[in-house]
Amino acid sequence: ITHNVGNVDSIGNVIFLAGAERYACPNACFMFHGVAAGIPANVGRMEQKDLRERLDSVESDNKRIGKVIAERTTFPNQSEITDLFLEARTRDAAYAKDRGIIHEICDVQIPAGATVHQLVFQRQTA
């Protein structure tokens, strides 16, 4: 069971979708975006083959992530998932329910003594 009690962002959406039962609190949200490729600061220049390699990698990752989303949700078509990546927008719980990202909108209710695992990912800044 996975339950979004705040935000599920980025690749966390794929982890969230691993739940056989998925829920979100009424004010929870989900942020989607496509994969990015970093370019090291010490790279003086990139040739066409280098750029193509980076682009192929990003497109491959986007397709793989999009396939997981398509398999675990009710998005009507792959193009809507692609658009979701390009828009890089945050969506609310109602949207998540409409698209099958979650099964229900409800407050979290954890039985006494239940084991809870919390995943928190944070960007590191230099």
Side-chain angles (χ1 to χ4, degrees), residues 42-58:
N42 63 347
V43 173
R45 60 178 242 163
M46 296 182 80
E47 294 182 11
Q48 182 178 2
K49 65 180 178 61
D50 303 313
L51 294 169
R52 187 172 316 282
E53 179 182 347
R54 299 272 179 165
L55 179 59
D56 287 347
S57 176
V58 167

Side-chain angles (χ1 to χ4, degrees), residues 90-116:
T90 299
R91 301 296 184 157
D92 64 12
Y95 177 90
K97 184 165 184 339
D98 185 53
R99 294 298 188 270
I101 297 166
I102 59 172
H103 297 103
E104 294 295 330
I105 298 171
C106 60
D107 288 321
V108 67
Q109 299 198 10
I110 303 170
T115 301
V116 176

Side-chain angles (χ1 to χ4, degrees), residues 8 55 79 104 111-112 125:
V8 173
L55 179 59
S79 66
E104 294 295 330
T125 55

Side-chain angles (χ1 to χ4, degrees), residues 2-22:
T2 52
H3 198 123
N4 179 355
V5 297
N7 294 49
V8 173
D9 299 339
S10 193
I11 196 64
N13 286 292
V14 173
I15 297 167
F16 180 84
L17 288 171
E21 296 177 40
R22 300 182 301 273

